[in-house]
Amino acid sequence: MSELFGWSQALPKPTAILIVSAHWESVPLSLSASGPDTPLVYDFGGFAQRYFQMTYETPDASALAARVAASMPDSEPVHQHASRGLDHGAWVPLKTMYPYGDVPVLQMSLPTHDPARLMDIGGRLRGLREEGVLVVGSGYMTHGVPFLTRDQFVHNVVPSWSADFDAWAADALARGDLDTLMNYRSLAPGVLFAHPTVEHYTPMFVTLGVATDAEAPVRTTIEGYRFGLSKRSFQVS
């Protein structure tokens, strides 16, 4: 949490936030409710009751929703949800980064896991950056939860598949090697364990698409492991 908060303090305060979360896969491309005080989705279980009572009341984001919809071509239809709130892949990091809840927030679904299509969606949102909008791809660099053991949860022991995948991704990101990153299914070591499902990996392609130069090396802002999983995070220029 301290790393996320420190990251936000090192950035210019955004005029609005558009976030793509691993926890909302929906076709067609969909946008969350955009009115003020967007509700939260408590899409988790087994936690203390207080987590199900948390709120994150943010300002109206309807102007951002209109801009996002207008940026998409006819081949990428956009569905505007009237009541869909922010899921925990969105509100948990943002509540940490911008705890006052004074920045409009809009969530966008993952309509595909195809890196090229996600890069294209990101590219169409590039103009939002010039307006001060922060575009976030929210996932986890490794997310092999089914394969974690007590050693990972209690002692943060890093399994080889997590370390190997993270090192591979870090190297490719540092070189701006998009082809390697996009061909992760065949090139990444330990991919079947690091990402038995890929929704925690693919949001980053929206982020890379928003970059001024997608092939430029990224700036790693957070690294290390939690429960043996890589929390590597980066920002683009």
Side-chain angles (χ1 to χ4, degrees):
M1 291 179 67
S2 62
E3 291 172 314
L4 285 173
F5 181 72
W7 189 4
S8 71
Q9 296 304 290
L11 295 170
K13 187 172 182 178
T15 57
I17 298 170
L18 176 64
I19 186 164
V20 182
S21 160
H23 296 274
W24 190 17
E25 301 166 86
S26 182
V27 178
L29 188 149
S30 301
L31 302 177
S32 64
S34 58
D37 304 335
T38 300
L40 303 185
V41 179
Y42 306 99
D43 53 333
F44 46 76
F47 292 89
Q49 184 60 30
R50 66 178 179 273
Y51 295 110
F52 298 88
Q53 297 170 335
M54 287 186 169
T55 59
Y56 189 55
E57 298 174 354
T58 52
D60 183 271
S62 56
L64 177 58
R67 289 281 288 106
V68 171
S71 299
M72 295 299 127
D74 292 341
S75 59
E76 194 71 73
V78 177
H79 176 67
Q80 177 72 63
H81 278 266
S83 59
R84 208 278 183 186
L86 306 174
D87 63 48
H88 83 271
W91 68 262
V92 168
L94 294 182
K95 190 177 176 71
T96 299
M97 297 176 78
Y98 300 98
Y100 292 113
D102 56 352
V103 179
V105 176
L106 183 71
Q107 185 171 350
M108 184 174 75
S109 74
L110 273 171
T112 180
H113 293 301
D114 174 42
R117 184 174 161 197
L118 292 173
M119 289 276 296
D120 181 69
I121 290 171
R124 293 178 182 279
L125 300 171
R126 197 171 297 146
L128 295 176
R129 293 185 60 193
E130 300 174 3
E131 301 169 24
V133 176
L134 176 64
V135 181
V136 181
S138 174
Y140 230 68
M141 191 55 76
T142 59
H143 201 258
V145 175
F147 307 110
L148 298 182
T149 67
R150 179 177 174 81
D151 281 342
Q152 273 88 60
F153 282 109
V154 177
H155 303 296
N156 196 28
V157 174
V158 180
S160 59
W161 49 260
S162 185
D164 291 347
F165 186 96
D166 178 61
W168 168 86
D171 175 69
L173 287 166
R175 293 184 290 104
D177 188 346
L178 282 178
D179 286 341
T180 292
L181 292 167
M182 294 171 76
N183 287 285
Y184 63 95
R185 292 183 188 272
S186 58
L187 297 179
V191 63
L192 295 180
F193 293 92
H195 291 286
T197 57
V198 301
E199 74 282 350
H200 279 79
Y201 177 76
T202 55
M204 76 173 185
F205 290 107
V206 176
T207 303
L208 290 168
V210 172
T212 304
D213 179 0
E215 295 185 345
V218 304
R219 177 190 167 201
T220 294
T221 54
I222 297 174
E223 54 189 340
Y225 298 85
R226 179 68 168 164
F227 304 133
L229 301 176
S230 169
K231 55 185 180 178
R232 180 174 302 279
S233 305
F234 62 88
Q235 66 186 61
V236 300
S237 57

